[in-house]
């Protein structure tokens, strides 16, 4: 049988899925143990117990100085920034994506402009944002929006343009005005794509969030990582990185479930 | 009434001449089947009737009024694909025309108005044989059912003209024969002028009242750009088919049922008995 035709069974599939993760953990355990055997004071790859202690300290014991549970207060601060920025980007992308996709005049006016803006490296703008908007939340949220929104606008506009011409014509022969067609034909069909688009932008959004927090902040996951970096506290950095990854994975999964629950038809097409 | 008159219509795309000097009068309630080889401008012709494309020269009138250069509710259309909206259920697809008409801002109907519209849509859904599938999405329907849905969706607008662009081309022969029966019935029962583009000669002669062929009289490679297709054949089907009437020669099962009165052999005689 050809390789392209051999498929794993359900059990093998799960085993295969878990294998790389287990391998990573084992590799970490072995390397960490080897380094610690050489030098018990090694900070680079702390033992599992050290990591657990750190998690316990950060998540379940109040910080002696502020009395806060640092992991949770950091997570809260970061997620507020992340989700408000993603919310703003989504609204901007939905509006501009639809008008650019639907109206030739707006497309002529804005499509090249948005394409250019999306090429500006957002991190290069960060100093300007900090100078103009101050060091508070506004500049961080703005950074994420600038980094994420143009790509989403372009993606949505493309999606609108991809709708079969026949559909729009059919809607016109049913007597639909531009507004009615936007509301009943185009909008419902781009919303699932908007959610997918949002999922794809989660990575960049986290990148800009951590970058902004690393440079100027007094709370947040990125802030904490870059703070304890000075003391080589790998026992805190590793769990934080894992936690961020976990949050991103959960958001990604939840958004996809949301799409299928709200727009059941969007999953029928794929089959 | 819905008479379409084309007066010396030319269509060019840049240097490419597609159609040359098409003059044609399509009678009200005719069923015109448009045939011809690929790339001879059949679909372009349909697009002009639809208002999606404007003729380069010449004019098209519907009941004496020049066509507006935009698709509108007086001309319904069914394409080979993408004629129905994948995000709406069968009922939602058929309702959409009603919704557009009644609710310009919210594009949604509520209460009694919605119930009335649903009743009308349900009748039409039953008419095309889709009852029981109201809550399904198009992706859950077969190709033939999707085209039935597209017909129902177009007919709820009560258009004067129905334009069909190879509507049954992608269906297998059995399903196609079934939908031909439906199409004939709808044409008999609805106030419609139909223009259908098709590749299938058999289909053209089964359904049409008139078969029109486009052809390029000059089709050598070096001539292809500067000479377009012209109307080469215009055949009235004989014996004539007339909308809403039985054919006098061979009434077939697709013709509308006309009550013939009671015959001697019929049970339960009431009133006069015919000899």
């Amino acid at each position: 049988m050809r390789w392209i035709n051999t498929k794993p069974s359900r059990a093998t599939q799960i085993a295969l899925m878990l294998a790389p993760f287990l391998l990573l953990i084992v590799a970490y355990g072995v390397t960490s143990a080897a380094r610690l055997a050489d030098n018990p004071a090694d900070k680079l790859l702390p033992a599992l117990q050290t990591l657990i202690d750190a998690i316990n300290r950060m998540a379940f014991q109040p910080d002696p100085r502020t009395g806060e549970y640092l992991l949770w207060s950091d997570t809260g601060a970061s997620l507020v920034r992340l989700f408000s920025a993603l919310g703003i980007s989504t609204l901007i992308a939905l509006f501009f994506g639809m008008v650019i996709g639907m109206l030739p005049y707006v497309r002529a006016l804005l499509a090249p402009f948005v394409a250019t803006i999306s090429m500006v490296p957002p991190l290069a703008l960060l100093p300007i944002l900090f100078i103009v908007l101050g060091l508070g939340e506004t500049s961080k949220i703005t950074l994420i929006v600038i980094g994420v929104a143009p790509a989403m606008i372009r993606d949505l506009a493309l999606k609108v343009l991809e709708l079969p011409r026949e559909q729009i014509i059919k809607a016109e022969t049913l007597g639909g005005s531009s507004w009615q067609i936007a509301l009943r034909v185009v909008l419902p069909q781009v919303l699932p794509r908007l959610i997918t688009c949002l999922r794809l932008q989660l990575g960049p959004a986290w990148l800009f969030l951590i970058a902004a927090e690393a440079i100027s902040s007094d709370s947040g996951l990125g802030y904490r990582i870059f703070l304890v970096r000075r003391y080589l506290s790998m026992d805190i950095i590793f769990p934080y990185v894992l936690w961020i990854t976990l949050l991103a994975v959960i958001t990604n999964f939840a958004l996809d479930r949301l799409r299928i629950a709200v727009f059941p038809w969007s999953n029928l097409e794929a089959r | 009434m819905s008479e379409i008159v084309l007066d010396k219509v030319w269509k060019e795309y840049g240097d490419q001449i597609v159609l040359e000097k098409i003059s044609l009068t399509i009678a009200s309630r005719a069923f015109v089947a448009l045939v011809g080889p690929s790339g001879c401008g059949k679909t372009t012709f349909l697009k002009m009737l639809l208002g999606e494309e404007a003729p380069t020269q010449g004019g098209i009138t519907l009941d004496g009024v020049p066509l507006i250069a935009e698709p509108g509710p007086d001309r319904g259309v069914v394409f080979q694909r993408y004629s129905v909206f994948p995000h709406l259920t069968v009922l939602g697809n058929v309702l959409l025309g009603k919704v557009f008409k009644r609710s310009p801002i919210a594009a949604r109907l509520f209460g009694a108005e919605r119930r009335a519209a649903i009743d009308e849509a349900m009748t039409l859904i039953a008419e095309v044989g889709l009852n029981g599938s109201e809550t399904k999405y198009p992706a859950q329907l077969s190709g033939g059912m999707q085209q039935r849905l597209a017909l129902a969706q177009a007919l709820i607008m009560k258009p004067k003209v129905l334009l069909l662009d190879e509507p049954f081309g992608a269906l297998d022969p059995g399903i196609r024969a079934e939908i031909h029966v439906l199409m004939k019935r709808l044409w008999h029962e609805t106030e419609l002028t139909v223009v259908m583009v098709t590749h299938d000669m058999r289909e053209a002669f089964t359904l049409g009242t008139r078969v029109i062929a486009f052809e390029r009289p000059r089709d050598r490679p070096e001539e292809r750009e500067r000479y377009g297709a012209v109307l080469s054949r215009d055949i009235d089907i004989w014996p004539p088919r007339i909308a809403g009437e039985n054919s006098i020669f061979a009434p077939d099962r697709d013709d509308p049922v006309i009550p013939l009165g009671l015959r001697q052999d019929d049970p339960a005689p009431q009133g006069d008995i015919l000899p």
Side-chain angles (χ1 to χ4, degrees), chain A residues 183-236:
Chain A
L183 207 59
R184 291 303 304 276
V185 177
V186 179
L187 178 66
Q189 294 197 67
V190 297
L191 282 179
R193 179 66 206 178
L194 182 67
I195 295 181
T196 306
C197 188
L198 197 57
R199 285 169 56 208
L200 295 175
Q201 293 300 324
L202 280 176
W206 273 103
L207 166 72
F208 298 128
L209 176 71
I210 305 285
E213 287 181 344
I215 294 173
S216 152
S217 189
D218 51 12
S219 64
L221 298 166
Y223 160 76
R224 192 69 54 196
I225 290 177
F226 276 79
L227 182 73
V228 300
R229 170 191 65 122
R230 298 174 196 166
Y231 317 112
L232 220 63
S233 290
M234 290 301 188
D235 55 339
I236 294 177

Side-chain angles (χ1 to χ4, degrees), chain A residues 25-263:
Chain A
I25 294 170
V26 169
Y28 179 88
V30 171
T31 334
S32 163
R35 286 185 69 99
L36 287 171
D38 277 353
N39 170 18
D42 179 61
K43 298 194 83 175
L44 210 57
L45 297 176
L48 212 56
Q49 191 53 48
T50 324
L51 291 179
I52 292 171
D53 288 345
I55 295 171
N56 188 32
R57 199 166 65 245
M58 300 304 288
F60 305 112
Q61 284 166 20
D63 181 52
R65 191 169 61 84
T66 57
E68 286 177 339
Y69 295 87
L70 287 178
L71 180 67
W72 307 118
S73 60
D74 285 340
T75 307
S78 284
L79 287 187
V80 166
R81 289 168 194 146
L82 186 78
F83 286 134
S84 35
L86 285 178
I88 294 169
S89 310
T90 306
L91 291 180
I92 293 177
L94 188 59
F95 177 75
F96 283 101
M98 280 194 50
V99 291
I100 289 175
M102 287 190 72
L103 306 173
Y105 268 94
V106 181
R107 184 152 65 240
L109 179 74
L110 286 182
F113 181 70
V114 172
T116 313
I117 291 293
S118 72
M119 293 300 155
V120 177
L123 285 179
L125 292 177
L126 191 55
I128 304 176
L129 294 179
F130 278 145
I131 292 165
V132 175
L133 299 170
L135 297 174
E137 301 298 309
T138 325
S139 54
K140 298 184 193 70
I141 293 176
T142 313
L143 175 74
I144 302 176
V145 172
I146 290 178
V148 165
M152 288 177 77
I153 293 176
R154 294 181 76 192
D155 192 53
L156 275 197
L158 275 180
K159 176 67 193 168
V160 174
L161 285 170
E162 265 172 27
L163 287 181
R165 183 80 197 134
E166 286 92 335
Q167 270 191 25
I168 306 297
I169 293 194
K170 181 84 184 197
E172 288 178 59
T173 63
L174 296 178
S177 64
S178 301
W179 166 251
Q180 288 174 319
I181 293 173
L183 207 59
R184 291 303 304 276
V185 177
V186 179
L187 178 66
Q189 294 197 67
V190 297
L191 282 179
R193 179 66 206 178
L194 182 67
I195 295 181
T196 306
C197 188
L198 197 57
R199 285 169 56 208
L200 295 175
Q201 293 300 324
L202 280 176
W206 273 103
L207 166 72
F208 298 128
L209 176 71
I210 305 285
E213 287 181 344
I215 294 173
S216 152
S217 189
D218 51 12
S219 64
L221 298 166
Y223 160 76
R224 192 69 54 196
I225 290 177
F226 276 79
L227 182 73
V228 300
R229 170 191 65 122
R230 298 174 196 166
Y231 317 112
L232 220 63
S233 290
M234 290 301 188
D235 55 339
I236 294 177
I237 295 179
F238 277 128
Y240 261 65
V241 173
L242 275 180
W243 177 235
I244 291 172
T245 314
L246 189 66
L247 287 175
V249 168
I250 292 173
T251 323
N252 185 35
F253 181 77
L255 282 174
D256 202 35
R257 288 282 115 190
L258 177 76
R259 176 180 66 83
I260 295 170
V262 183
F263 310 105

Side-chain angles (χ1 to χ4, degrees), chain A residues 169-170 172 179-180 184 265, chain B residues 52 77 87 100 103 105 107:
Chain A
I169 293 194
K170 181 84 184 197
E172 288 178 59
W179 166 251
Q180 288 174 319
R184 291 303 304 276
W265 55 270
Chain B
E52 192 188 347
V77 68
H87 62 291
F100 281 162
S103 174
I105 304 298

Side-chain angles (χ1 to χ4, degrees), chain B residues 9-245:
Chain B
V9 168
W10 288 67
K11 182 66 194 179
E12 300 169 19
Y13 290 109
D15 275 345
Q16 170 82 54
I17 299 179
V18 183
L19 289 170
E20 279 187 21
K21 207 174 169 188
I22 307 282
S23 287
L24 193 62
T25 301
I26 299 174
S28 186
R29 297 212 66 185
F31 194 130
V32 175
L34 197 58
V35 298
S38 295
C40 71
K42 301 187 296 282
T43 296
T44 305
F45 179 80
L46 206 73
K47 278 184 178 172
M48 288 195 293
L49 290 185
L50 189 56
E52 192 188 347
E53 301 271 354
T56 314
Q57 289 174 43
I60 307 177
T61 57
L62 174 59
D63 288 340
V65 184
L67 277 187
I68 41 167
E70 202 178 36
D74 53 344
R75 281 155 289 156
V77 68
V78 175
F79 297 104
Q80 186 172 4
R81 293 182 65 201
Y82 305 123
S83 276
V84 292
F85 301 109
H87 62 291
L88 295 173
T89 60
V90 168
L91 180 61
N93 264 293
V94 180
L95 271 182
L96 196 62
K98 284 275 151 198
V99 173
F100 281 162
K101 199 175 192 174
R102 299 278 167 70
S103 174
I105 304 298
R108 287 187 191 279
L109 291 178
F110 302 99
E113 220 176 4
R114 180 174 163 78
R115 279 195 295 278
I118 286 180
D119 281 346
E120 195 177 333
M122 285 302 214
T123 320
L124 212 47
I125 288 172
E127 189 105 332
V128 298
L130 282 178
N131 29 355
S133 305
E134 291 86 359
T135 54
K136 284 190 180 160
Y137 287 101
Q140 295 166 309
L141 300 178
S142 68
M145 288 164 95
Q146 288 190 21
Q147 292 308 77
R148 283 165 187 264
L149 173 59
L151 281 172
Q153 187 182 36
L155 290 179
I156 203 163
M157 298 306 293
K158 301 198 167 58
K160 291 177 171 181
V161 180
L162 183 62
L163 303 169
L164 308 172
D165 190 358
E166 296 182 29
F168 316 128
L171 308 179
D172 63 65
I175 305 286
R176 197 187 298 193
E178 280 174 25
I179 208 163
H180 282 170
V181 174
L182 170 70
M183 191 61 237
K184 258 191 177 175
R185 188 162 53 81
L186 291 176
W187 173 67
H188 277 303
E189 290 171 0
T190 329
E191 287 279 330
L192 270 183
T193 303
V194 182
V195 179
M196 176 177 72
V197 166
T198 179
H199 274 308
D200 182 351
M201 281 293 169
R202 193 188 152 86
E203 181 172 81
F205 281 90
T206 320
L207 291 177
T209 58
R210 181 178 178 188
V211 177
I212 286 175
F214 283 176
E215 224 169 333
R216 289 171 182 274
R218 293 170 179 239
D219 202 21
R220 295 215 306 272
E222 70 273 20
E223 293 170 341
R224 212 164 276 160
E225 188 165 288
R226 297 306 298 160
Y227 293 92
V230 297
L231 203 160
S232 69
R233 287 275 199 292
D234 185 349
I235 305 164
D236 282 315
I237 299 289
W238 200 93
R241 294 193 178 108
I242 299 164
E245 284 179 31

